[in-house]
Amino acid sequence: MIDLFSGLDAWVLVSLLLALAFVLAFEFINGFHDTANAVATVIYTKAMPPHLAVFFSGVFNFLGVLLGGVGVAYAIVHLLPVELLINVNTGHGLAMVFSLLAAAITWNLGTWYFGIPASSSHTLIGSILGVGLANALINDIPLADGVNWQKAIDIGASLVFSPMAGFLIAALVLISLKWWRPLSKMHKTPEQRRKIDDKKHPPFWNRLVLVISAMAVSFVHGSNDGQKGIGLIMLVLIGIVPAQFVLDLNSTTYQIERTRDATLHLSQFYQRNSESLGEYLALGKSVKGDLPEKFRCNPQQTEPTIAALLDTLKGVADYQSLPSESRIEVRRYLLCLDDTAKKVGKLPGLAAREKDDLNKLRKDLTATTEYAPFWVILAVALALGLGTMVGWKRVVLTIGEKIGKQGMTYAQGMSAQITTACMIGAANIFSLPVSTTHVLSSGVAGTMVANKSGLQGGTVRTILLAWVLTLPATVALSAALFWLASKAIGS
């Protein structure tokens, strides 16, 4: 790993280390900011002692990051428009990374300090959107092109509907438990259990389910939220030291050939569908240059881009043999071809089978650009896992006692945690970032309503206010910071 950073100017190396520290600080804060959501019910119900709950939650967060893949990581990265991702230079990368991280960390710390279960996912996404919009304004790019709005809509939908689904499903699970075992001790609160049964802990089976579901929430939290840190570090590395990280330098000859073959098949795909795509892609027409000025992708330059990529990769068996500028160009070509293929897939007239083929080609095209070195995954896993082991107390009381007008029963804790673990696990399968905070807190609220416990209006209003304000606040803050940083670099 160390040899990757050799030969860098001192100021670039310092900037890089500082940027990496910022990302790991964000993940550390994310750990103790969101820990309470994974351990709140298990601590509040006395199913586990706080120190053990937090320790094992940290361990399962760590494992979740290690085993979670990078699908969600690049879903976050691709919130930025492809034009911003292919325009890599050190100053630009520094401004982008420090602006979005400073905004995200500031908001996370503020909401944690006041004990508000705000979402780190919302915070990060708002910060990324702010950078994209500010970049569009600075470079006179239409705001419609300043952000990957389709990806933003997909992620926004998952963030909006997941708490609603959490509320409803957790309520239904609790209703099912009350119908199945109406007289069970699992419907008691810890206080009732202590007063009536003179017992400190939940019944054995309820305790086991609470512990297992809490660790499951921790694992899926790590596999979802941890990937956001991985995506951020890759933005840092590509933005500051692009020559070393724009492509996976450990790619095998087979992987490179697979990329080259995908490019050839993509060309054949377009020729096969030239009747419907010929005008959109300007097939068979001479277009000057392989990419437009300012590194903006243009579907009408697809054929020159394919030709340039195939020419660059001709005879290449190892990316390390490519000059640094060629590596940057290869990534630029691949991202533009992928972006155009994505747009083509949404055009009318293509058969469903053809669209499926195109999606498979896109995966092969980006196989050596959407990656993360193991040391990046390990660093994020450690930061999130260690962060999980501190700072949990501020939010546990909010989750356990301040959402409903009565304390949480064991059945409510199980319902909320099982729902949260299943929903985030499903989101991981589809590479969608969701908020552990919002899914769990809405799940608890759903069980309170189903249990006819009522909701505390003040706490619910505070959580909803944080939910509503997080996106606009972080968008504005990161946009302002990026504008200032860009002006400073420009001057």
Side-chain angles (χ1 to χ4, degrees):
M1 183 189 90
I2 297 176
D3 62 312
L4 294 174
F5 306 114
S6 60
L8 296 179
D9 292 339
W11 76 272
V12 174
L13 183 59
V14 170
S15 300
L16 174 63
L17 294 175
L18 190 59
L20 292 176
F22 260 65
V23 177
L24 295 178
F26 172 79
E27 279 305 308
F28 184 83
I29 293 167
N30 186 7
F32 70 69
H33 188 272
D34 285 6
T35 298
N37 301 294
V39 298
T41 51
V42 83
I43 291 176
Y44 179 76
T45 57
K46 305 290 192 297
M48 288 183 82
H51 63 283
L52 276 181
V54 174
F55 172 77
F56 281 106
S57 178
V59 170
F60 278 89
N61 265 292
F62 175 85
L63 293 174
V65 179
L66 282 186
L67 303 175
V70 295
V72 174
Y74 280 93
I76 292 288
V77 168
H78 287 301
L79 274 173
L80 294 169
V82 68
E83 288 79 12
L84 195 55
L85 294 175
I86 62 176
N87 185 12
V88 291
N89 67 72
T90 301
H92 191 82
L94 283 173
M96 176 178 66
V97 169
F98 281 118
S99 300
L100 68 89
L101 283 175
I105 288 173
T106 300
W107 187 260
N108 259 2
L109 282 177
T111 52
W112 166 80
Y113 180 79
F114 290 105
I116 301 170
S119 167
S120 295
S121 300
H122 275 195
T123 302
L124 178 58
I125 289 165
S127 300
I128 291 175
L129 292 177
V131 166
L133 292 173
N135 179 72
L137 291 172
I138 292 169
N139 294 296
D140 296 322
I141 298 171
L143 289 180
D145 299 329
V147 170
N148 184 343
W149 289 110
Q150 185 56 55
K151 180 62 71 175
I153 290 169
D154 292 342
I155 291 175
S158 73
L159 289 171
V160 168
F161 289 114
S162 56
M164 297 179 185
F167 182 97
L168 181 61
I169 294 171
L172 291 174
V173 172
L174 180 66
I175 290 171
S176 300
L177 290 175
K178 294 188 77 170
W179 172 80
W180 179 48
R181 300 287 297 275
L183 302 178
S184 171
K185 294 176 181 179
M186 67 179 163
H187 300 298
K188 293 180 180 179
T189 66
E191 185 178 356
Q192 291 169 339
R193 172 81 164 161
R194 187 168 53 252
K195 284 184 178 180
I196 298 172
D197 301 332
D198 195 27
K199 297 287 183 65
K200 181 179 179 181
H201 301 296
F204 174 78
W205 289 110
N206 302 144
R207 188 177 186 181
L208 183 64
V209 173
L210 282 164
V211 170
I212 292 174
S213 60
M215 296 308 105
V217 171
S218 298
F219 181 85
V220 295
H221 171 260
S223 61
N224 196 280
D225 274 36
Q227 288 192 51
K228 296 159 193 171
I230 293 170
L232 283 175
I233 287 187
M234 293 312 296
L235 278 178
V236 168
L237 296 174
I238 291 169
I240 299 177
V241 281
Q244 300 293 343
F245 293 98
V246 287
L247 297 171
D248 183 0
L249 297 185
N250 292 319
S251 297
T252 63
T253 303
Y254 169 76
Q255 289 172 312
I256 297 172
E257 288 177 353
R258 184 176 161 194
T259 301
R260 191 163 46 230
D261 289 344
T263 308
L264 280 170
H265 289 310
L266 185 66
S267 178
Q268 294 166 2
F269 175 91
Y270 290 146
Q271 294 300 325
R272 188 168 67 245
N273 293 277
S274 60
E275 187 173 335
S276 58
L277 301 176
E279 185 176 348
Y280 181 73
L281 300 175
L283 297 177
K285 298 178 182 177
S286 176
V287 180
K288 185 180 179 181
D290 62 326
L291 287 173
E293 293 181 6
K294 294 187 179 180
F295 302 118
R296 298 191 64 186
C297 298
N298 182 351
Q300 294 193 336
Q301 292 177 312
T302 295
E303 281 190 317
T305 303
I306 288 175
L309 177 58
L310 290 174
D311 184 62
T312 306
L313 291 181
K314 187 176 181 180
V316 173
D318 187 344
Y319 279 144
Q320 297 190 35
S321 65
L322 282 174
S324 58
E325 284 303 316
S326 295
R327 295 175 197 167
I328 294 172
E329 287 175 356
V330 166
R331 177 176 182 270
R332 195 151 44 92
Y333 299 149
L334 288 170
L335 290 187
C336 278
L337 289 176
D338 177 63
D339 185 64
T340 297
K342 179 175 63 178
K343 293 174 181 175
V344 166
K346 295 173 184 174
L347 295 175
L350 275 183
R353 181 178 177 180
E354 296 282 26
K355 289 183 179 180
D356 288 341
D357 286 347
L358 193 58
N359 287 331
K360 292 173 184 175
L361 286 174
R362 287 184 59 204
K363 289 181 181 178
D364 286 343
L365 276 176
T366 56
T368 57
T369 60
E370 295 188 358
Y371 77 103
F374 179 73
W375 67 265
V376 170
I377 298 172
L378 183 62
V380 171
L382 285 171
L384 188 66
L386 291 174
T388 298
M389 297 182 188
V390 301
W392 51 272
K393 291 184 179 179
R394 287 185 180 270
V395 185
V396 166
L397 189 61
T398 300
I399 297 291
E401 292 187 356
K402 293 187 177 181
I403 292 179
K405 291 182 179 179
Q406 299 177 16
M408 182 193 302
T409 66
Y410 304 127
Q412 286 177 264
M414 291 188 296
S415 301
Q417 286 189 164
I418 291 170
T419 299
T420 302
C422 291
M423 288 194 62
I424 299 175
N428 288 341
I429 293 173
F430 294 101
S431 298
L432 289 171
V434 292
S435 167
T436 306
T437 302
H438 288 158
V439 174
L440 183 65
S441 57
S442 63
V444 171
T447 65
M448 291 293 177
V449 171
N451 201 42
K452 299 180 181 178
S453 304
L455 298 173
Q456 291 194 35
T459 301
V460 173
R461 278 194 299 271
T462 301
I463 293 173
L464 287 175
L465 189 62
W467 187 72
V468 170
L469 289 180
T470 292
L471 274 177
T474 49
V475 165
L477 183 56
S478 65
L481 290 172
F482 184 71
W483 184 83
L484 291 172
S486 296
K487 291 296 180 185
I489 291 172
S491 62

